[in-house]
Short mmCIF file of all heavy atoms in Angstrom, two decimals:
data_model
loop_
_atom_site.label_atom_id
_atom_site.label_comp_id
_atom_site.label_asym_id
_atom_site.label_seq_id
_atom_site.Cartn_x
_atom_site.Cartn_y
_atom_site.Cartn_z
N ARG A 321 -2.49 -7.71 -17.39
CA ARG A 321 -2.11 -7.00 -18.61
C ARG A 321 -0.83 -6.18 -18.43
O ARG A 321 -0.33 -5.60 -19.40
CB ARG A 321 -3.25 -6.08 -19.06
CG ARG A 321 -4.57 -6.80 -19.29
CD ARG A 321 -5.50 -6.01 -20.18
NE ARG A 321 -5.85 -4.71 -19.64
CZ ARG A 321 -6.94 -4.47 -18.91
NH1 ARG A 321 -7.78 -5.47 -18.63
NH2 ARG A 321 -7.21 -3.26 -18.48
N LEU A 322 -0.30 -6.11 -17.20
CA LEU A 322 0.91 -5.34 -16.94
C LEU A 322 2.15 -6.20 -17.17
O LEU A 322 2.10 -7.43 -17.11
CB LEU A 322 0.89 -4.79 -15.52
CG LEU A 322 -0.32 -3.90 -15.16
CD1 LEU A 322 -0.19 -3.36 -13.75
CD2 LEU A 322 -0.49 -2.76 -16.16
N THR A 323 3.28 -5.55 -17.39
CA THR A 323 4.50 -6.22 -17.85
C THR A 323 5.23 -6.98 -16.75
O THR A 323 5.48 -6.44 -15.67
CB THR A 323 5.47 -5.18 -18.45
OG1 THR A 323 4.78 -4.45 -19.48
CG2 THR A 323 6.70 -5.84 -19.03
N ASP A 324 5.59 -8.23 -17.05
CA ASP A 324 6.39 -9.04 -16.13
C ASP A 324 7.70 -8.33 -15.79
O ASP A 324 8.40 -7.85 -16.70
CB ASP A 324 6.74 -10.39 -16.76
CG ASP A 324 5.54 -11.30 -16.92
OD1 ASP A 324 4.41 -10.82 -16.80
OD2 ASP A 324 5.75 -12.50 -17.17
N GLY A 325 8.05 -8.28 -14.50
CA GLY A 325 9.33 -7.73 -14.09
C GLY A 325 9.54 -6.28 -14.43
O GLY A 325 10.68 -5.80 -14.44
N GLY A 326 8.46 -5.54 -14.66
CA GLY A 326 8.59 -4.16 -15.12
C GLY A 326 8.43 -3.10 -14.05
O GLY A 326 8.45 -1.91 -14.36
N TYR A 327 8.34 -3.52 -12.78
CA TYR A 327 8.02 -2.56 -11.73
C TYR A 327 8.97 -2.67 -10.55
O TYR A 327 9.47 -3.74 -10.21
CB TYR A 327 6.56 -2.74 -11.29
CG TYR A 327 5.61 -2.44 -12.42
CD1 TYR A 327 5.22 -3.45 -13.31
CD2 TYR A 327 5.15 -1.16 -12.64
CE1 TYR A 327 4.38 -3.18 -14.38
CE2 TYR A 327 4.30 -0.88 -13.71
CZ TYR A 327 3.93 -1.89 -14.57
OH TYR A 327 3.10 -1.62 -15.64
N ASP A 328 9.19 -1.51 -9.92
CA ASP A 328 10.11 -1.42 -8.79
C ASP A 328 9.42 -1.62 -7.44
O ASP A 328 10.05 -2.03 -6.48
CB ASP A 328 10.78 -0.03 -8.77
CG ASP A 328 11.51 0.27 -10.06
OD1 ASP A 328 12.35 -0.54 -10.47
OD2 ASP A 328 11.22 1.32 -10.68
N LEU A 329 8.13 -1.29 -7.39
CA LEU A 329 7.39 -1.38 -6.13
C LEU A 329 5.93 -1.63 -6.44
O LEU A 329 5.38 -1.02 -7.37
CB LEU A 329 7.57 -0.07 -5.33
CG LEU A 329 7.06 -0.02 -3.89
CD1 LEU A 329 7.85 1.04 -3.09
CD2 LEU A 329 5.58 0.31 -3.79
N VAL A 330 5.32 -2.50 -5.67
CA VAL A 330 3.87 -2.75 -5.78
C VAL A 330 3.27 -2.62 -4.39
O VAL A 330 3.73 -3.26 -3.44
CB VAL A 330 3.56 -4.14 -6.36
CG1 VAL A 330 2.04 -4.36 -6.38
CG2 VAL A 330 4.13 -4.30 -7.76
N LEU A 331 2.24 -1.77 -4.27
CA LEU A 331 1.50 -1.63 -3.01
C LEU A 331 0.16 -2.33 -3.15
O LEU A 331 -0.60 -2.07 -4.09
CB LEU A 331 1.27 -0.15 -2.69
CG LEU A 331 0.29 0.13 -1.54
CD1 LEU A 331 0.80 -0.44 -0.22
CD2 LEU A 331 0.02 1.63 -1.42
N VAL A 332 -0.14 -3.22 -2.21
CA VAL A 332 -1.41 -3.95 -2.17
C VAL A 332 -2.27 -3.36 -1.06
O VAL A 332 -1.90 -3.40 0.12
CB VAL A 332 -1.17 -5.45 -1.92
CG1 VAL A 332 -2.51 -6.18 -1.73
CG2 VAL A 332 -0.39 -6.07 -3.07
N ASP A 333 -3.42 -2.79 -1.43
CA ASP A 333 -4.33 -2.21 -0.44
C ASP A 333 -5.74 -2.21 -1.01
O ASP A 333 -6.42 -1.19 -1.00
CB ASP A 333 -3.89 -0.79 -0.07
CG ASP A 333 -4.66 -0.25 1.12
OD1 ASP A 333 -5.27 -1.05 1.86
OD2 ASP A 333 -4.66 0.98 1.31
N GLY A 334 -6.18 -3.36 -1.50
CA GLY A 334 -7.50 -3.47 -2.10
C GLY A 334 -8.41 -4.36 -1.27
O GLY A 334 -8.36 -4.37 -0.04
N GLU A 335 -9.22 -5.15 -1.95
CA GLU A 335 -10.15 -6.08 -1.31
C GLU A 335 -9.37 -7.16 -0.57
O GLU A 335 -8.58 -7.89 -1.17
CB GLU A 335 -11.07 -6.70 -2.36
CG GLU A 335 -11.95 -7.83 -1.86
CD GLU A 335 -12.85 -7.40 -0.73
OE1 GLU A 335 -13.45 -6.31 -0.83
OE2 GLU A 335 -12.96 -8.16 0.25
N LYS A 336 -9.60 -7.26 0.74
CA LYS A 336 -8.74 -8.13 1.56
C LYS A 336 -8.84 -9.60 1.16
O LYS A 336 -7.84 -10.32 1.18
CB LYS A 336 -9.09 -7.98 3.06
CG LYS A 336 -9.07 -6.55 3.57
CD LYS A 336 -7.82 -5.79 3.17
CE LYS A 336 -7.97 -4.32 3.49
NZ LYS A 336 -7.17 -3.44 2.63
N THR A 337 -10.02 -10.06 0.80
CA THR A 337 -10.16 -11.48 0.45
C THR A 337 -9.41 -11.82 -0.83
O THR A 337 -9.15 -12.99 -1.10
CB THR A 337 -11.64 -11.86 0.30
OG1 THR A 337 -12.25 -11.04 -0.71
CG2 THR A 337 -12.38 -11.68 1.62
N GLU A 338 -9.05 -10.81 -1.62
CA GLU A 338 -8.33 -11.05 -2.87
C GLU A 338 -6.82 -10.84 -2.72
O GLU A 338 -6.08 -10.94 -3.71
CB GLU A 338 -8.89 -10.13 -3.97
CG GLU A 338 -10.34 -10.45 -4.31
CD GLU A 338 -10.90 -9.55 -5.42
OE1 GLU A 338 -10.23 -8.54 -5.76
OE2 GLU A 338 -11.98 -9.87 -5.93
N TYR A 339 -6.35 -10.59 -1.52
CA TYR A 339 -4.92 -10.33 -1.31
C TYR A 339 -4.02 -11.43 -1.87
O TYR A 339 -3.01 -11.14 -2.52
CB TYR A 339 -4.64 -10.13 0.17
CG TYR A 339 -4.65 -8.69 0.64
CD1 TYR A 339 -5.43 -7.72 -0.01
CD2 TYR A 339 -3.89 -8.27 1.74
CE1 TYR A 339 -5.44 -6.40 0.43
CE2 TYR A 339 -3.90 -6.96 2.16
CZ TYR A 339 -4.67 -6.02 1.52
OH TYR A 339 -4.67 -4.71 1.94
N PRO A 340 -4.30 -12.72 -1.63
CA PRO A 340 -3.40 -13.75 -2.18
C PRO A 340 -3.27 -13.67 -3.69
O PRO A 340 -2.16 -13.83 -4.23
CB PRO A 340 -4.06 -15.05 -1.72
CG PRO A 340 -4.79 -14.69 -0.47
CD PRO A 340 -5.33 -13.32 -0.74
N ALA A 341 -4.37 -13.40 -4.40
CA ALA A 341 -4.32 -13.29 -5.85
C ALA A 341 -3.57 -12.03 -6.27
O ALA A 341 -2.81 -12.05 -7.25
CB ALA A 341 -5.74 -13.27 -6.43
N TYR A 342 -3.75 -10.93 -5.53
CA TYR A 342 -2.99 -9.71 -5.82
C TYR A 342 -1.49 -9.97 -5.69
O TYR A 342 -0.69 -9.54 -6.52
CB TYR A 342 -3.37 -8.58 -4.86
CG TYR A 342 -4.77 -8.07 -4.91
CD1 TYR A 342 -5.33 -7.45 -3.80
CD2 TYR A 342 -5.56 -8.16 -6.06
CE1 TYR A 342 -6.62 -6.94 -3.81
CE2 TYR A 342 -6.85 -7.67 -6.09
CZ TYR A 342 -7.38 -7.06 -4.95
OH TYR A 342 -8.65 -6.57 -4.96
N VAL A 343 -1.14 -10.63 -4.61
CA VAL A 343 0.29 -10.87 -4.33
C VAL A 343 0.91 -11.75 -5.40
O VAL A 343 2.06 -11.52 -5.83
CB VAL A 343 0.46 -11.47 -2.92
CG1 VAL A 343 1.88 -12.02 -2.72
CG2 VAL A 343 0.14 -10.42 -1.86
N GLU A 344 0.18 -12.76 -5.85
CA GLU A 344 0.69 -13.61 -6.92
C GLU A 344 1.02 -12.78 -8.16
O GLU A 344 2.08 -12.95 -8.79
CB GLU A 344 -0.35 -14.68 -7.27
CG GLU A 344 0.10 -15.63 -8.37
CD GLU A 344 -0.94 -16.68 -8.70
OE1 GLU A 344 -2.01 -16.69 -8.04
OE2 GLU A 344 -0.70 -17.49 -9.61
#
Side-chain angles (χ1 to χ4, degrees):
R321 303 201 300 266
L322 303 183
T323 305
D324 291 14
Y327 296 89
D328 303 306
L329 189 154
V330 178
L331 170 62
V332 174
D333 190 18
E335 171 59 44
K336 306 312 170 207
T337 58
E338 295 181 348
Y339 266 28
Y342 295 156
V343 167
E344 181 180 358

